[in-house]
Structure formats: structure tokens, C-alpha cells
């Protein structure tokens, strides 16, 4: 991985220098707590899937200002030599807690919590946001696409339309976490140990004198799996009949047909797939898979499923890898607490005319509450760091906006789990890395804990995200105090 130390906004460095100068002049070093969270679920979804932590870990581990970095910063004329000397010896010494990759998450709750000397915590803001925002967006989009496919396999085909190599590479990884079965991206397959899949392009067909000759040559090279693209010339009159002829020839040669079928890439996919299914069945190939591509997304897949399309393998490219209808995740990084000169913490809050932009103050935990009988999610509870809850006791939670909306959880009828987990402690990485297949399996279990109502593509039910009574009271008190001031 290349060094990303200078992957930051310029004002992070100017603020960092100002903080450093203040520490020198006052003799007081402050520690800060920043929360990275998001305000609205992307794509109108009922939840998001967090991704990108592995790259954040790599980024923090590699944080170091090399000679060429120092020379570049000196050339701007903005940074003093004392600060540049400080950067030469820079090492991240803070702590980071984060929600594990693949976890289902909701607005307002911290996904990454940084507890570090103020200049250090400020420096990493932009890179953390860049990484988590992008990968969580693609993972969430993939989860929607896979939900629309209703158990069918979905392949990520977006490399050539991604906004650059990194977006294609880490987007493929995130799509797998969101539920995709495989990717066309070979580098992603190599780096992340994920399945790579693909058939052939129209150019393969066009490079031969006839379609049947192209099919035969492809089938000879790749009998298992064997998927033939049937829409180069005429899908119903030429492509499918020629594919059937090649499948029969393979049988006559004694080749067992396993994991084989056709791909549709244009036209009315519902109509063509139904006609193709009938033709393949009548020819004696009821197990032949019908796959489809062509600018698909969750809405198109849902419509095709509703129309009875006979497609069970979906190749989704542009609209997945770019999250075309919702291009940004919208995560933010906000100061929640700051240590005083005596080492005591002082909670911080940001006010706004927009209620969504009023932050939750203090050092926090996030608890997930489950129904004990079904294992399904009931709610998330954001609380202060010192608070503890136990399922052996009754628990009443309430909506922090509409406070009359309450949920009473009876003792031993719910379970509880803390979401934020240690990643770095005092500069040392304590995170146990998982392989991407392991993260994918965990993510699938996470999505299975959602009720169907929360997985609707249109107007899903909102998951309750509540504040503990102590956090609610602190927030209310701080708002009232700031209004008086």
C-alpha cells in the first residue's frame, strides 16, 4: 500500500500547526475525541453497511512524514521549521475504536471513534472520511442490489466505469462485503482472495467468421464454467439456438455440463429471458443458467423479478460501483470531547438550525439490542462511556426527538452487544484482521438480523436509534446553556 500521509485537506495541516504552536506557547497538551458518523442512510435505504476499516488500519500504521513530504510542505511557505521538525518525528500515539467491517449501522452512531492528541486527531480526519465514506457507500449499494436479487447470485462488473483504479479496487472489495458473489476485477481477486468471474465480450464473437464458430472455440477452451453471450447479432434467432447447438455438441463429447448457460446484455431482459428459458428447457437444458447485465441496479432487478424474468445470475456494473443515484455517503467527523489542562474531559457539542446537524456530546458507546427469541435487531442505544446495561434488567428506551415514543424491553427477553471495538490503543494496533471472505460471512449474518421491514427498497421502516437518559440529559443541558450564553 502506498503511503497516504499527505492524503489530507490543507486546512488539517494548518490547524495542526496552530494546535502544535498553542501547545508550545501554553505548555498544555490536549487530547481530543472525534466521532466519525453519518446523518442519513444512502439511497433511501433502511440501513448502511460499514466498510473500509482495513484500509484505515493500514493508513494509520504507515503514517509518517518522509523527507520529500517535508520538502513539499516547506515549499508552500506556510509551515515553520519548528513544526516541520515535529512532523519528521511524527507517530500516531492515540487510540481508535471502530465498528467492525460488515456491520449493519444507522445514522448518528459513531462508526469510528478517535481518542488522540488534538493535532494527531485532526490530521487523520480527511483520510478516514475518504476511506470509510466510499467503501461504506458501495457496500450499502451492493446490499440493496443483492436484496433486490432475492437470493440470486450478483457479480460486480464495474471496473471499467469506476472513478479510477482505487475506486474500482476497493469498490469491488466493498461490493463483496455488501453481498456480491464475485467480481470481474482480477487485482481485487488477487489482493483480497475473492472469486473472480467473467464470460467474454461481443468482440470475441465478432472476431470469428460466424457466431457458432466463436461459441465452439470458447466452449473448447472453457467447458467449466461455460457461459455464452447470445445477443451479438440476434438473440432469439441466432444466439440462443447456436448456444443450444454447442451445448449438445459438448454432451456428445462426454463433457458434463456443470455451471453453464447464457448471458443477455441488451434488449427486453424480461421477455428475452422467458423465451430463452422455454427454448433451453425444450432443448433438454433445464439447469442452464440465464445471466444478465446491461446497466442494472436494484430498481431494474426488482422490476424484472416482478415481471417474471427467468434470470438467476446478475452482472451489475456502473450503477453499483459508482452508486449512481446517490454518489456520496455523507459521513462527518466531529469533536465530541476535549481534555482540560487538569486531565478532565469536557464534552463538546455543535449546534445548528438543522436538528440533524446537532451532534451528540461526550465520549460514547453504542449498544445494539436484539430480541432474544428471534435474534432480530430491536434498536440501537447510544450512551456515555461509563454507562452499562444488562439484559437481566428491564430497560426502557425512547426516541430522542419524539420522546413520547418509548420501547420497554423486559428482563431476559433481549440481548445486548457493544458495537465499538478497540483497533489502536496508545498507538499500537490491537486489531485482529479478518480475510475478506470472513468479513463477507460476518456481514451476511449481520444483514440476517434485520427485519424484512427494514430491508424494503422503498420507504423502509426506520430502526430506532435512541440516546440513553444520561446522554439525552447532557445534550439538553448543553444546548440550554449555550442558548443562555
Amino acid at each position: 500500500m502506498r503511503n497516504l500521509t499527505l492524503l489530507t485537506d490543507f486546512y488539517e495541516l494548518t490547524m495542526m500547526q496552530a494546535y502544535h504552536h498553542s501547545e508550545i506557547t501554553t505548555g498544555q497538551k490536549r487530547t481530543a475525541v472525534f466521532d466519525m458518523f453519518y446523518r442519513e442512510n444512502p439511497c433511501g435505504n433502511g440501513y448502511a453497511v460499514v466498510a473500509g476499516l482495513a484500509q484505515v488500519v493500514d493508513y494509520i500504521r504507515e503514517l509518517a512524514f518522509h523527507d520529500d513530504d517535508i520538502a513539499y510542505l516547506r515549499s508552500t511557505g506556510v509551515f515553520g521549521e519548528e513544526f516541520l521538525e515535529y512532523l519528521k518525528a511524527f507517530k500516531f500515539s492515540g487510540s481508535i475504536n471502530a465498528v467492525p467491517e460488515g456491520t449493519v449501522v444507522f445514522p448518528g452512531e459513531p462508526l469510528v471513534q478517535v481518542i488522540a492528541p488534538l493535532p494527531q486527531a485532526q490530521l487523520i480526519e480527511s483520510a478516514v472520511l475518504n476511506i470509510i465514506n466510499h467503501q461504506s457507500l458501495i457496500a450499502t449499494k451492493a446490499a440493496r442490489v443483492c436484496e433486490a436479487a432475492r437470493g440470486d447470485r450478483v457479480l460486480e462488473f464495474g471496473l471499467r466505469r469506476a472513478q479510477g483504479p482505487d475506486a474500482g479496487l476497493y469498490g469491488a472489495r466493498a461490493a463483496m462485503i455488501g453481498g456480491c458473489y464475485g467480481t470481474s476485477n482480477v487485482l481485487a481477486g488477487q489482493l483480497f482472495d475473492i472469486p473472480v468471474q467473467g464470460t467474454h465480450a461481443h468482440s470475441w464473437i465478432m472476431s470469428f467468421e460466424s457466431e457458432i464458430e466463436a461459441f465452439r472455440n470458447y466452449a473448447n477452451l472453457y467447458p467449466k464454467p461455460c457461459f455464452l453471450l447470445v445477443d451479438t447479432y440476434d438473440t432469439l434467432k441466432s444466439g440462443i439456438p447456436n448456444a443450444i447447438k454447442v451445448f449438445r455438441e459438448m454432451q456428445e463429447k462426454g463433457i458434463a455440463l456443470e455451471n453453464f448457460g447464457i448471458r443477455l446484455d441488451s434488449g427486453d431482459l424480461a421477455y428475452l429471458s422467458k423465451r430463452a428459458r422455454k427454448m433451453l428447457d425444450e432443448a433438454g437444458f433445464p439447469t442452464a443458467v440465464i445471466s444478465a447485465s446491461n446497466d442494472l441496479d436494484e430498481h431494474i432487478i426488482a422490476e424484472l423479478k416482478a415481471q417474471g424474468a427467468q434470470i438467476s445470475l446478475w452482472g451489475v456494473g456502473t450503477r453499483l460501483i459508482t452508486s449512481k443515484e446517490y454518489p456520496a455517503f455523507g459521513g462527518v467527523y466531529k469533536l465530541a470531547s476535549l481534555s482540560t489542562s487538569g486531565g478532565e474531559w469536557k464534552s463538546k457539542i455543535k449546534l445548528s438550525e438543522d436538528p440533524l446537524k446537532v451532534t451528540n456530546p461526550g465520549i460514547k458507546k453504542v449498544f445494539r439490542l436484539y430480541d432474544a427469541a428471534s435474534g432480530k435487531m430491536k434498536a440501537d442505544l447510544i450512551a456515555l462511556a461509563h454507562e452499562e446495561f444488562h439484559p437481566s434488567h428491564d430497560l426502557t428506551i425512547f426516541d430522542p426527538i419524539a420522546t413520547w415514543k418509548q420501547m420497554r424491553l423486559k428482563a431476559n427477553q433481549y440481548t445486548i452487544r457493544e458495537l465499538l471495538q478497540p483497533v489502536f490503543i496508545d498507538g499500537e494496533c490491537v486489531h485482529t484482521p479478518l480475510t475478506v471472505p470472513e468479513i463477507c460471512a460476518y456481514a451476511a449474518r449481520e444483514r440476517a438480523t434485520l427485519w424484512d421491514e427494514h430491508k424494503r427498497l422503498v420507504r423502509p421502516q426506520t430502526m430506532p436509534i435512541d440516546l440513553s437518559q444520561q446522554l439525552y440529559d447532557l445534550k439538553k443541558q448543553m444546548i440550554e446553556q449555550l442558548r443562555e450564553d
Side-chain angles (χ1 to χ4, degrees):
M1 175 182 172
R2 68 183 184 277
N3 187 281
L4 300 179
T5 299
L6 290 188
L7 185 69
T8 189
D9 289 302
F10 193 64
Y11 81 148
E12 309 287 15
L13 287 166
T14 57
M15 283 191 290
M16 191 181 181
Q17 178 173 241
Y19 291 142
H20 177 67
H21 179 72
S22 175
E23 289 178 352
I24 292 173
T25 56
T26 65
Q28 295 182 356
K29 294 186 177 182
R30 294 178 292 174
T31 300
V33 177
F34 280 87
D35 294 333
M36 187 264 160
F37 61 94
Y38 70 103
R39 296 187 176 113
E40 294 182 332
N41 288 319
C43 311
N45 211 39
Y47 63 94
V49 177
V50 68
L53 179 60
Q55 193 181 11
V56 168
V57 170
D58 289 341
Y59 159 71
I60 297 294
R61 277 176 164 165
E62 298 297 323
L63 267 179
F65 290 85
H66 300 299
D67 290 344
D68 55 344
D69 301 324
I70 299 297
Y72 170 72
L73 293 177
R74 181 180 289 113
S75 73
T76 67
V78 173
F79 304 103
E81 287 303 317
E82 186 175 48
F83 178 64
L84 294 175
E85 287 298 317
Y86 161 76
L87 293 184
K88 285 182 182 180
F90 179 89
K91 183 182 185 302
F92 183 78
S93 63
S95 299
I96 296 177
N97 302 311
V99 175
E101 283 195 274
T103 303
V104 168
V105 291
F106 302 98
E109 52 195 33
L111 309 182
V112 179
Q113 181 185 69
V114 178
I115 306 171
L118 181 55
Q120 297 183 24
Q122 192 71 66
L123 170 67
I124 68 174
E125 173 182 1
S126 298
V128 169
L129 286 172
N130 176 275
I131 294 167
I132 299 294
N133 276 336
H134 171 248
Q135 295 184 45
S136 299
L137 176 68
I138 304 305
T140 305
K141 182 68 171 181
R144 284 177 60 81
V145 171
C146 293
E147 184 63 32
R150 297 189 175 277
D152 294 345
R153 290 179 294 171
V154 176
L155 302 176
E156 184 279 311
F157 276 2
L159 176 58
R160 63 189 61 191
R161 303 286 175 79
Q163 282 118 340
D166 281 358
L169 180 62
Y170 289 100
R173 182 184 184 278
M176 294 296 297
I177 293 172
C180 286
Y181 171 79
T183 178
S184 66
N185 189 324
V186 179
L187 182 57
Q190 179 193 38
L191 294 179
F192 306 130
D193 189 26
I194 55 181
V196 289
Q197 303 277 326
T199 54
H200 57 80
H202 295 103
S203 57
W204 172 264
I205 307 297
M206 296 163 65
S207 67
F208 289 85
E209 289 300 317
S210 67
E211 185 177 59
I212 188 70
E213 183 184 357
F215 285 174
R216 283 173 176 150
N217 275 274
Y218 192 83
N220 285 335
L221 282 169
Y222 308 108
K224 297 178 185 179
C226 182
F227 282 83
L228 303 176
L229 181 59
V230 296
D231 71 332
T232 304
Y233 301 121
D234 190 305
T235 302
L236 297 178
K237 293 181 180 179
S238 172
I240 298 173
N242 280 330
I244 289 172
K245 186 180 294 186
V246 169
F247 295 152
R248 283 178 174 155
E249 291 172 356
M250 293 172 72
Q251 280 185 327
E252 291 169 0
K253 293 177 182 178
I255 299 172
L257 291 176
E258 300 172 1
N259 193 17
F260 74 107
I262 63 170
R263 178 162 72 97
L264 301 169
D265 190 51
S266 61
D268 187 330
L269 297 179
Y271 170 74
L272 290 174
S273 67
K274 286 185 274 190
R275 289 289 305 275
R277 182 76 276 156
K278 186 172 186 296
M279 294 168 71
L280 289 164
D281 289 352
E282 290 177 348
F285 300 110
T287 60
V289 173
I290 299 174
S291 63
S293 47
N294 188 28
D295 280 339
L296 299 173
D297 63 13
E298 68 270 36
H299 304 294
I300 296 171
I301 291 173
E303 282 294 320
L304 290 169
K305 298 285 281 188
Q307 293 166 28
Q310 298 296 299
I311 299 166
S312 59
L313 179 60
W314 307 84
V316 186
T318 305
R319 299 187 183 202
L320 168 55
I321 204 66
T322 65
S323 187
K324 188 173 182 179
E325 68 174 347
Y326 198 100
F329 191 69
V332 295
Y333 186 89
K334 298 298 180 184
L335 182 65
S337 192
L338 195 63
S339 67
T340 64
S341 57
E344 296 180 355
W345 289 101
K346 183 175 182 180
S347 297
K348 297 291 182 177
I349 189 171
K350 175 187 177 295
L351 297 186
S352 171
E353 293 296 320
D354 183 349
L356 280 178
K357 292 190 174 183
V358 178
T359 61
N360 292 318
I363 309 174
K364 296 173 288 294
K365 294 178 178 176
V366 183
F367 294 98
R368 177 149 296 163
L369 308 172
Y370 299 89
D371 177 70
S374 66
K376 299 289 188 180
M377 293 184 201
K378 295 287 288 183
D380 277 4
L381 180 65
I382 308 174
L384 293 171
H386 66 270
E387 294 188 84
E388 296 291 343
F389 304 92
H390 198 277
S392 60
H393 297 90
D394 289 355
L395 177 62
T396 299
I397 58 178
F398 60 93
D399 187 300
I401 304 298
T403 55
W404 63 90
K405 294 182 180 180
Q406 298 187 352
M407 181 188 302
R408 183 173 178 79
L409 303 173
K410 294 185 177 180
N412 302 316
Q413 293 185 11
Y414 70 96
T415 60
I416 191 165
R417 169 190 170 209
E418 190 172 339
L419 293 188
L420 287 167
Q421 300 296 317
V423 178
F424 284 85
I425 297 178
D426 297 332
E428 297 299 320
C429 183
V430 296
H431 174 68
T432 301
L434 299 178
T435 66
V436 175
E438 288 172 336
I439 297 170
C440 293
Y442 165 75
R445 295 193 298 272
E446 275 286 288
R447 296 192 299 277
T449 64
L450 286 163
W451 300 91
D452 288 342
E453 293 84 350
H454 297 111
K455 295 189 281 187
R456 284 197 300 260
L457 297 180
V458 180
R459 298 185 66 183
Q461 182 66 25
T462 302
M463 181 68 70
I465 310 300
D466 297 336
L467 305 184
S468 70
Q469 185 69 59
Q470 290 188 39
L471 177 55
Y472 177 82
D473 290 344
L474 173 63
K475 186 174 183 178
K476 182 179 178 182
Q477 175 188 347
M478 292 185 70
I479 291 173
E480 290 174 351
Q481 183 177 350
L482 287 169
R483 281 177 175 170
E484 291 175 0
D485 294 345

